[in-house]
Amino acid sequence: MTTPSSADASLTPPPGCPAHGLGADGLRRLYGPEAEADPAGLYEKLRAEHGEVAPVLLHGDLPAWLVLGHSANLTAMRTPSRFSRDSRRWSAFQENRVTPDSPLMPMVAWQPLCVFADGEEHKRLRGAVTDSLGRFDRRGIRRYVTRFADQLIDAFGESGRADMVSQFAEHLPMLVMTQLVGMPESYGPRLVQAARDLMKGTETAIASNDYVVATLRQLVERKRAAPGADLASWLLQDEAGLSDDEVMEHLRLVLIAANETTVNLIADTLKMVLTDRRFRANLSGGHMTLPDALDQVLWDTPPLSAVPGRWATGDTELGGQEIKAGDMLLLGLAAGNVDPAVRPDLNMPLYGNRSHLAFSGGPHECPGQDVGRAIAETGIDILLTRLPDLQLAVAEEELHWDSAWLSRHLSELPVQFAPRRPKSETEAAAGTGALPEAFPATPAPTPPATPRPAPAAATPAAPPQVANIPAQRRSWWSALLGGSRRG
C-alpha cells in the first residue's frame, strides 16, 4: 500500500470531521457533504450495515434512528402507543442537548399541531384540518391552478426556453396555496423562498420560520375580523374551537408541507416525462394515466426523503434494534420505497399502486395529499397542453439535485419549445372562472437578513404524562390516451 506524502496527508480530514460523514463514534451523519451528495447511496450503506433500522446523527451530532424498511416504517406510523408524535418526549430535549438556534427546531420543536399530538387531541386538531380541506371544490382548485399556470407560462412562453423548476414548479404550488388559505398572491414569491430555506435546515432556517409565522399571524388576525371562503376562516370557525395559535400553526404546516412536496412532485414528474423513454412509450401506447404516472414518481422519488419523527414511549424493539424510551425515529420514506423486500426489481413499473410511503401512513397520513395531487396533475396537464413540443434543453447527465436531510430537490430542468404567444385576456378569463377575494394586499413582514434565536414558544415544554379529479378539457394527456382519463 502506498504511503501518502506529507502534503497529501495534510489534505486528509481528521477522524470525526463532517467531511467523512461520520461522527466521533462512527455513526453516519444525515447532514453534511456525503449525505447531501448521494442520499440514496447513504441509505443503502446504512441498510447493508444495520438492516431495517439504522442509528444515525442529525445536526449537532444528535443521535436518532432512521427507519429504512417498508414494513418497519408502517409499524412506526401505525402504532402511536409505541411511537408517539409528541416531540417533548425526545431525550435530547429533556437533557438540554438541543440549542435554541438548531436548524432542527422548526421541524421538531413541539407546537400545538395535530402532527405533534396523539389520541383525542390529535383527533380534535386533525378533524378541523380535514374538515376544512374537504370544503374545497376540486374544480375550484383546478381553476386556481389554471390561472397561475397560464400566468407562469405566459411569462416565459415567447422566449422558447425556460427552467421548469425555478420558473414553474417552485412557484405554482405556493401561488395556489396562498389563495386557498386566503392570502393575496403577492405573498407567494417570498413564502416560496422562506419555505425552501426552512426545509433545508440552513443557518437561517429559524429566521425563515419567524417570517412565515409573522405572516400567518397577520392573516389570522385579518380573518378573525373579516372571514372569507378560505382555509384560514374555516379553521377559525370549526367546531373544534381552535385557538389563534393553533390555527396559525396548522396554516404553517399546510403551506410548508404542500409547497415542498408539490414542487418536488411537479419537477420530478416533468423530468420523467422528458427523459424516460419507457414512460413516454407507455403514455403514447395508452397504458398509463396521469394519476398512474404520479404514483410511479411517488414510489421512485418521494417528495420528502424522510420525516421527523416518532419518539419511543418506552423501551421497545424495531427492525432488530433496541430502541430506548425517548429516542427519535425518522421515517425513511425514500429508503422504505426501495426496500428490496417490497421492490426486488426497481425497474418494474408500479402503475396504480398506491402502497408507497410518500404521504406517510396511519393516523398521521398526509391530509392534504389530494390537494397536492390536484395541483401537480392540473399544472402538468396545462403545461404540456400549451407546450406539446416541450423538450429537455440539456443532456440528462447534466441534471443535478440539491439534497438536504429531509428532501431532494431537482435544481434545474432546462427546456426548449417553439415560442408561444401569451393567452389573450378573454381566453384566460374563460378558463379560470370567478375566484374568491383575498384580504387586501398589505406588505408582509420583511424576512430578517440574519438568523436570530428561536421564539420562546418553540422551546420544548415538559413531556406529558403518558398514559377523482374531473376532466378539465381535452388535453395533451387525454389526446395520447385516446380520450380516456380516470378521475
Side-chain angles (χ1 to χ4, degrees), residues 128-139:
V129 173
T130 54
D131 290 348
S132 297
L133 288 172
R135 294 180 66 173
F136 286 114
D137 173 41
R138 289 190 180 185
R139 285 173 291 186

Side-chain angles (χ1 to χ4, degrees), residues 111-164:
Q111 297 148 36
L113 282 167
C114 61
V115 296
F116 288 105
D118 298 312
E120 290 302 314
E121 182 64 0
H122 170 257
K123 186 182 298 184
R124 179 182 77 89
L125 296 172
R126 183 182 171 92
V129 173
T130 54
D131 290 348
S132 297
L133 288 172
R135 294 180 66 173
F136 286 114
D137 173 41
R138 289 190 180 185
R139 285 173 291 186
I141 295 175
R142 292 176 71 91
R143 287 197 296 270
Y144 281 124
V145 180
T146 300
R147 172 186 175 183
F148 292 118
D150 280 335
Q151 288 181 6
L152 293 169
I153 296 167
D154 284 347
F156 58 72
E158 290 186 292
S159 68
R161 302 183 69 88
D163 171 24
M164 288 293 95

Side-chain angles (χ1 to χ4, degrees), residues 370-382:
D370 288 343
V371 174
R373 291 182 69 107
I375 294 173
E377 179 184 354
T378 307
I380 294 170
D381 183 20
I382 292 167

